[in-house]
Amino acid sequence: MTALITLDDYERAARDVIAPPAWEYLNGGAADEHTLRRNRDAFAGVQLAPRVLNDVSRIETGVRLLGHDLAHPILLAPVAAHSLAHAEGEVETARGARTANAGLVLSSYTSRTVEDVAAAGVTPLWFQLYMQERNATEELVTRVVDRGCTAICVTVDTPTAGPRDRQTRSGFDFPPGLPYRTVQPGDNPCTWADIAWIRRAVKVPVILKGILHPDDAELAIVNGAAAIVVSNHGGRNLDTAPATIAALPRVVDQVAGRIPVLVDGGIRRGTDVLKALALGASAVLIGRPYIYGLAVAGAAGVTAVVDILRTELTQAMALCGVSSVGGLTRATIWREDHA
């Protein structure tokens, strides 16, 4: 077997072990998949401006986020039905995340209960929410918070699912028995009034995932969001929406440090993590890559994927002459007017 040394290596290996319909679900995007491709291509288009002869003998990747001291700024984004990749599903993912010191956002389409996942000891553990009827929503968020979830991450970019043609052609359907899958995206479209209600209903931070427009970032702050995630749903909803790394600077400028801004979408290299942090993200989330690791090697594969990114981030920081995450600024990004 070829050595697995990059996230793309894990993707190629995972294709051999994930059933074809599940593969199309996990990897497909919306419509013609322009946004899916842009998420990765846009990172490649961002150039770095390395500085030399700084003391980088010690590299610090730790960050503080919503009351948690994290060893590094890489978290695991919510992905539905991990049982598509491994029999133990999210429990196995949580074991790998714990070893990698990576926080996990548990999808509301999880294949394992929050109690089982929390028992694996991953920290922090957040819960991703699709809005349901309000009584059902309140019951669910109360349950997950009582079981150890320290934030609720509301998906706000899915009033309806996008045209996921690859998924439809494959005949994919979710496995039976997902414990919290009581609604489909679009059954209860979320509004700003719902966000204000959720804020009153829970006693933990509420994060809004799916912000691309700076005006929505401002409204998120007005409505009490503790953090936002710049996301286009992995290119799976609105095709021709911008790449997340392209949208990130405008959102960061609007937020102006008032709340943390996270970003997901297309991250495959430590340099991608560095670029996101330099452009103002407090942390990043990865989705598909850790599922590849889960499919190939279970918990150890999840850990390996995170460790690859963290090692590459450390290398990139040293090569850019920056010794701590806090030292990453837009000066680390090359601009043609530097010359």
Side-chain angles (χ1 to χ4, degrees):
M1 182 177 180
T2 303
L4 303 176
I5 59 175
T6 71
L7 271 58
D8 284 345
D9 290 338
Y10 273 91
E11 178 177 356
R12 285 187 286 269
R15 186 158 196 168
D16 293 334
V17 296
I18 296 176
W23 180 262
E24 295 303 301
Y25 165 72
L26 290 166
N27 285 275
D32 297 313
E33 301 189 342
H34 296 294
T35 295
L36 178 68
R37 292 187 292 272
R38 282 177 187 163
N39 274 348
R40 290 198 65 175
D41 293 346
F43 271 108
V46 177
Q47 299 182 88
L48 293 170
R51 301 297 303 274
V52 299
L53 299 180
N54 293 332
D55 182 2
V56 290
S57 57
R58 181 180 176 86
I59 301 292
E60 297 288 348
T61 61
V63 297
R64 185 167 179 80
L65 183 64
L66 298 181
H68 296 277
D69 289 316
L70 307 181
H72 54 79
I74 305 163
L75 295 92
L76 307 188
V79 177
H82 295 192
S83 60
L84 296 170
H86 192 281
E88 292 296 314
E90 291 77 6
V91 172
E92 190 75 358
T93 300
R95 291 169 181 150
R98 180 192 62 207
T99 302
N101 295 308
L104 170 64
V105 188
L106 183 65
S107 171
S108 61
Y109 277 25
T110 176
S111 51
R112 298 295 294 269
T113 66
V114 67
E115 290 87 351
D116 289 344
V117 176
V122 60
T123 302
L125 177 62
W126 300 342
F127 187 82
Q128 176 269 331
L129 178 71
Y130 284 116
M131 186 67 187
Q132 306 177 25
E133 183 274 328
R134 283 192 176 184
N135 287 338
T137 298
E138 186 167 13
E139 180 180 344
L140 177 57
V141 296
T142 299
R143 175 180 178 178
V144 300
V145 169
D146 287 347
R147 301 308 190 272
C149 294
T150 57
I152 299 296
C153 184
V154 185
T155 294
V156 298
D157 61 359
T158 312
T160 183
R164 300 176 186 177
D165 299 337
R166 283 172 59 185
Q167 176 182 324
T168 301
R169 290 191 187 100
S170 75
F172 171 80
D173 197 6
F174 286 102
L178 304 186
Y180 312 123
R181 185 179 174 242
T182 59
V183 297
Q184 302 284 352
D187 285 354
N188 292 281
C190 197
T191 67
W192 290 112
D194 293 314
I195 298 302
W197 174 81
I198 292 169
R199 282 279 295 111
R200 295 192 298 269
V202 301
K203 305 301 181 185
V204 296
V206 173
I207 303 162
L208 303 190
K209 178 180 177 291
I211 301 290
L212 289 174
H213 199 289
D215 290 350
D216 286 334
E218 184 65 34
L219 286 169
I221 295 172
V222 169
N223 284 276
I228 59 176
V229 182
V230 174
S231 176
N232 54 34
H233 216 96
R236 295 163 63 81
N237 279 357
L238 178 65
D239 199 22
T240 69
T244 52
I245 194 63
L248 177 65
R250 295 174 64 195
V251 172
V252 166
D253 288 347
Q254 182 67 42
V255 170
R258 289 173 288 174
I259 60 174
V261 176
L262 292 75
V263 65
D264 68 13
I267 293 166
R268 297 295 187 276
R269 286 286 188 178
T271 45
D272 298 338
V273 179
L274 183 148
K275 291 169 187 179
L277 299 173
L279 289 171
S282 298
V284 305
L285 301 98
I286 59 170
R288 293 176 176 95
Y290 79 82
I291 298 296
Y292 304 146
L294 177 68
V296 171
V302 174
T303 300
V305 163
V306 176
D307 285 349
I308 288 169
L309 275 182
R310 186 180 181 183
T311 297
E312 290 183 351
L313 170 62
T314 300
Q315 293 169 330
M317 289 172 62
L319 291 167
C320 284
V322 179
S323 61
S324 69
V325 169
L328 291 169
T329 69
R330 292 188 187 181
T332 315
I333 304 299
W334 183 265
R335 291 178 9 214
E336 292 305 321
D337 60 5
H338 282 178

